[in-house]
């Protein structure tokens, strides 16, 4: 694997199409949602699409990053820990994506350096160009091949002009040079409306397009993000200065819901433009009608349900951040919309319930309480107090991963009478380690091998009949039958687990383990029987990663229904 030009790997017209999405002017204007929406509108035209995210940082994956810095870590079926954009891609496309669909500079450099160490470059200099660039091209082509898709829509992270993403843009340019008819560049830019002037300004976008020109790349389409719709004058100005067909300038004003974005794009005929530019035939798919109905439901909910999320990754300086839990929030929304209502989600900082246990009484005003995944000590006693309050006051409670582990701790302490019960993640010397580290994790931790080493990705889980969990999956027709058993598959990300030595004691005290690993060793779902509590359920896995707009997650739906019933 070396000289790209010589091997000519991307030199032949493969027929596979690429749409590269780059950012102009500034970050945070919705490049990820634009990419996901392009995927949606193309797949609604009967094309097979794979969506890819390129993150230019040197982390090998997103797993080692702090959620307050980086947002949620989204886990794929394969177990790869990725950027939260991958979650949006899966939700918009309505299908699972593969590990090949995600790429970081860290991954790319690691492969190149490993190959160099193995004499894979036959004694040559190993350089950013061609070797790193060619590794990027190879990965793009490999992803296209594995997915078997017609089109790859690839979001190149960062903004044009960054040092870090330049090699990725160069790789994209090369693919375009070799296959001029198969590649499009879409720039998602921002048009400010300065308050003092009150006029929408196109100049920053003009500069961004020229900056892209300096890479040897001409933008084919501009998605113009702004507060308002673009007027004709602005479109003409951009068209002239940026050398772009005015019809290829798509207005993307702020919208209330991200799920309206594909519908808005279609207002400016973006799918037709892309299909025409790529020489593809356009079909229509009924899927888009279903999407439209879903997006409308997001606006039309009658009544609300109040859900309190008790977590810790909220505060950064003076701002409150909800990005760390984006899949959880979206999963709640999908189930609520399907029930015809709007969720009213509140961020409740767990720390407050630890220092001031009486503060938990405010939870009585909520229809449902959720404790999401998490790590470490911050806010932990507050979460346990909140769970106790939900259990004692019969408020629907849903615990995800850490939320299930802490629910088990709470139950062990306050119902099963296991004094000082805890997870060994926090208290290694607890007299009752009801949650303990998975045996295979001990050695990894001793070696400080933190990256990509948790129990990650999709694992099967067998459900116990006549339980809330079984009923939920059954009614959503989401159960597979394997050897006569009810089996589900869900994604994981954890190092700790219900300690098998305590299972019997906990069961005797009334906790039901309604989902277990097929070998019966790992407890995947815990719940209280319906006659004891309307909904008190936790999962060791992360159901939120499998919730989709058009197929809400059965357990979230069961939780929302219980919350509605409480209202
Ligand atoms: N900290 C817990 C563990 O490692 C839970 C992880 C999580 O919530 N994702 O097992």
């Amino acid at each position: 694997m070396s000289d790209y030009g010589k091997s000519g790997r991307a030199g032949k017209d493969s027929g596979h199409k690429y749409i590269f999405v780059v950012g102009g002017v500034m970050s945070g204007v919705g490049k990820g949602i634009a990419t996901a929406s392009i995927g949606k509108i193309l797949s609604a035209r009967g094309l097979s699409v794979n969506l890819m995210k390129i993150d230019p940082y040197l982390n090998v994956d997103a797993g080692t990053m702090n959620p307050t810095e980086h947002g949620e870590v989204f886990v794929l079926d394969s177990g790869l820990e990725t950027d939260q954009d991958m979650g949006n891609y899966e939700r918009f496309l309505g299908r699972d994506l593969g590990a090949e669909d995600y790429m970081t500079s860290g991954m790319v450099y690691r492969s190149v350096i490993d190959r160099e160490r193995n004499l894979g470059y036959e004694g040559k200099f190993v350089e950013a160009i061609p070797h790193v660039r060619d590794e990027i091209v190879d990965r793009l082509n490999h992803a296209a091949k594995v997915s078997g898709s017609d089109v790859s829509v690839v979001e190149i992270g960062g903004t044009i002009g960054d040092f870090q993403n330049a090699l990725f843009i160069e790789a994209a340019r090369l693919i375009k040079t070799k296959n001029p008819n198969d590649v499009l560049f879409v720039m998602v830019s921002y048009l400010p409306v300065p308050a003092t002037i009150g006029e929408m300004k196109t100049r920053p976008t003009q500069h961004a397009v020229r900056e892209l020109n300096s890479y040897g790349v001409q933008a084919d389409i501009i998605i113009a993000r702004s507060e308002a719709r673009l007027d004709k004058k602005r479109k003409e100005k951009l068209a002239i200065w940026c050398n772009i067909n005015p019809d290829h300038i798509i207005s993307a004003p702020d919208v209330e819901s991200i799920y309206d974005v594909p519908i808005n794009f279609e207002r400016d005929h973006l799918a037709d433009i892309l299909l025409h530019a790529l020489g593809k035939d356009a079909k229509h798919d009924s899927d888009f009608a279903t999407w439209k109905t879903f997006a409308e439901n997001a606006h039309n909910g009658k009544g609300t349900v109040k859900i309190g999320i008790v977590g810790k990754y909220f505060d950064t300086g003076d701002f409150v951040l909800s990005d760390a839990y984006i899949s959880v929030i979206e999963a709640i929304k999908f189930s609520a919309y399907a029930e015809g209502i709007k969720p009213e989600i509140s961020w409740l900082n767990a720390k407050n319930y630890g220092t001031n246990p009486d503060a938990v009484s405010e939870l009585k005003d909520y229809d449902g309480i959720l404790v999401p995944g998490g790590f470490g000590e911050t806010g932990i006693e507050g979460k346990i107090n909140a769970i106790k309050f939900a259990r004692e006051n019969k408020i629907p409670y849903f615990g995800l991963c850490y939320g299930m582990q802490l629910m088990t701790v709470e139950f062990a302490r306050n119902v099963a009478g296991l004094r000082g019960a805890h997870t060994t993640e926090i208290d290694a010397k607890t007299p009752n380690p009801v949650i303990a580290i998975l045996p295979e994790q001990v050695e990894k931790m001793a070696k400080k091998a933190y990256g990509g080493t948790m129990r990650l990705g999709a694992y099967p889980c067998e459900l116990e009949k006549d339980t809330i969990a079984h009923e939920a999956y059954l009614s959503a027709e989401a159960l597979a039958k394997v050897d006569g058993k009810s089996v589900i598959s869900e994604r994981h990300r954890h190092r700790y687990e219900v300690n098998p030595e305590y299972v019997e004691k906990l069961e005797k005290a009334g906790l039901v383990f309604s989902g277990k690993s097929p070998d019966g060793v790992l407890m995947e779902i815990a719940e209280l029987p319906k006659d004891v509590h309307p909904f008190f359920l936790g999962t060791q896995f992360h159901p939120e990663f499998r919730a989709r707009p058009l197929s809400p997650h059965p357990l979230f739906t069961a939780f929302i229904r219980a919350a509605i019933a409480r209202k």
Side-chain angles (χ1 to χ4, degrees), residues 25-158:
V25 179
M26 64 184 207
S27 65
V29 296
K31 190 152 44 84
I33 298 300
T35 306
S37 300
I38 290 173
K40 180 73 214 168
I41 57 177
L42 290 179
S43 69
R45 293 301 187 87
L47 254 61
S48 150
V49 181
N50 72 310
L51 292 172
M52 294 184 71
K53 174 77 197 276
I54 292 176
D55 273 326
Y57 44 67
L58 283 171
N59 303 61
V60 171
D61 57 44
T64 53
M65 279 183 263
N66 181 340
T68 34
E69 299 285 327
H70 175 264
E72 172 185 88
V73 178
F74 188 80
V75 181
L76 305 180
D77 262 4
S78 64
L80 187 69
E81 296 165 284
T82 72
D83 181 83
Q84 58 180 10
D85 277 325
M86 291 295 282
N88 282 322
Y89 295 177
E90 285 199 349
R91 289 188 281 269
F92 276 66
L93 270 190
R95 74 170 177 88
D96 300 332
L97 290 168
E100 325 63 54
D101 295 317
Y102 185 64
M103 193 188 319
T104 68
S105 292
M107 260 180 215
V108 171
Y109 274 92
R110 191 191 227 184
S111 306
V112 170
I113 291 169
D114 285 349
R115 195 175 299 127
E116 182 276 324
R117 294 287 83 186
N118 298 334
L119 283 182
Y121 293 103
E122 296 154 2
K124 289 194 189 117
F125 279 128
V126 181
E127 300 186 87
I129 293 180
H131 304 103
V132 176
R133 176 198 63 196
D134 290 0
E135 172 66 25
I136 297 167
V137 173
D138 279 342
R139 282 173 177 262
L140 290 166
N141 288 338
H142 177 68
K145 205 166 153 193
V146 171
S147 77
S149 65
D150 304 313
V151 187
S152 302
V153 187
V154 185
E155 177 187 355
I156 301 182

Side-chain angles (χ1 to χ4, degrees), residues 372-376 400-403 405 423 425 435-436 438 454 492-497 540 542:
F375 296 84
L400 311 177
C401 202
Y402 215 18
Q405 296 175 356
T423 161
E425 179 173 352
I435 305 293
L438 285 159
M454 285 189 238
H492 295 68
R493 182 172 189 250
H494 59 111
R495 296 191 201 278
Y496 295 80
E497 188 72 51
Q540 184 55 79
H542 289 271

Side-chain angles (χ1 to χ4, degrees), residues 22-26 159-161 169 187-190 202-215 217-219 222 238 242:
V22 296
V25 179
M26 64 184 207
T159 307
I160 189 74
I169 298 173
M187 178 180 276
V188 179
S189 195
Y190 184 69
T202 61
R203 188 61 60 92
T205 299
Q206 295 173 29
H207 282 298
V209 171
R210 285 192 192 175
E211 179 83 33
L212 185 62
N213 286 157
S214 74
Y215 290 70
V217 172
Q218 170 64 42
I222 294 180
L238 278 178
C242 302

Side-chain angles (χ1 to χ4, degrees), residues 8 15 57 72 113 129 134 137 182 196-197 232 308 371 388 406 419 424 429 438 474 490 508 512 525 541 558:
Y57 44 67
E72 172 185 88
I113 291 169
I129 293 180
D134 290 0
V137 173
D182 290 339
T196 44
I197 314 173
K232 201 163 163 243
V371 174
K388 180 167 185 271
L406 298 180
R419 194 180 48 84
T424 56
K429 297 202 179 80
L438 285 159
L474 194 68
E490 295 280 2
K508 272 207 178 114
V512 175
I525 310 176
F541 50 79

Side-chain angles (χ1 to χ4, degrees), residues 317-463:
D318 290 341
F319 298 92
V320 173
L321 189 95
S322 54
D323 259 17
Y325 303 111
I326 178 167
S327 293
V328 177
I329 299 164
E330 299 311 297
I332 292 172
K333 287 185 192 165
F334 303 153
S335 289
Y337 296 159
E339 298 298 310
I341 56 157
K342 272 194 180 172
E344 199 181 305
I345 298 171
S346 304
W347 308 110
L348 306 170
N349 197 328
K351 281 178 236 166
N352 301 341
Y353 303 142
T355 45
N356 175 17
D358 294 338
V360 285
S361 63
E362 72 177 15
L363 295 178
K364 68 179 184 318
D365 297 333
Y366 290 86
D367 305 316
I369 309 290
L370 186 149
V371 174
F375 296 84
E377 194 159 10
T378 317
I380 193 166
E381 289 303 324
K383 287 181 193 173
I384 294 171
N385 287 339
I387 296 167
K388 180 167 185 271
F389 189 85
R391 183 179 53 76
E392 289 177 344
N393 293 281
K394 302 205 193 299
I395 305 171
Y397 170 76
F398 196 12
L400 311 177
C401 202
Y402 215 18
M404 179 262 205
Q405 296 175 356
L406 298 180
M407 156 186 163
T408 308
V409 168
E410 190 281 324
F411 184 86
R413 284 183 191 175
N414 301 321
V415 181
L418 296 165
R419 194 180 48 84
H422 220 320
T423 161
T424 56
E425 179 173 352
I426 306 304
D427 180 3
K429 297 202 179 80
T430 165
N432 285 301
V434 288
I435 305 293
I437 195 153
L438 285 159
E440 73 260 22
Q441 289 290 333
V442 179
E443 200 185 322
K444 291 174 188 163
M445 292 304 91
K447 284 196 216 147
K448 289 198 172 182
Y450 299 120
T453 59
M454 285 189 238
R455 182 170 181 248
L456 289 168
Y459 285 93
C461 162
E462 265 177 39
L463 297 184

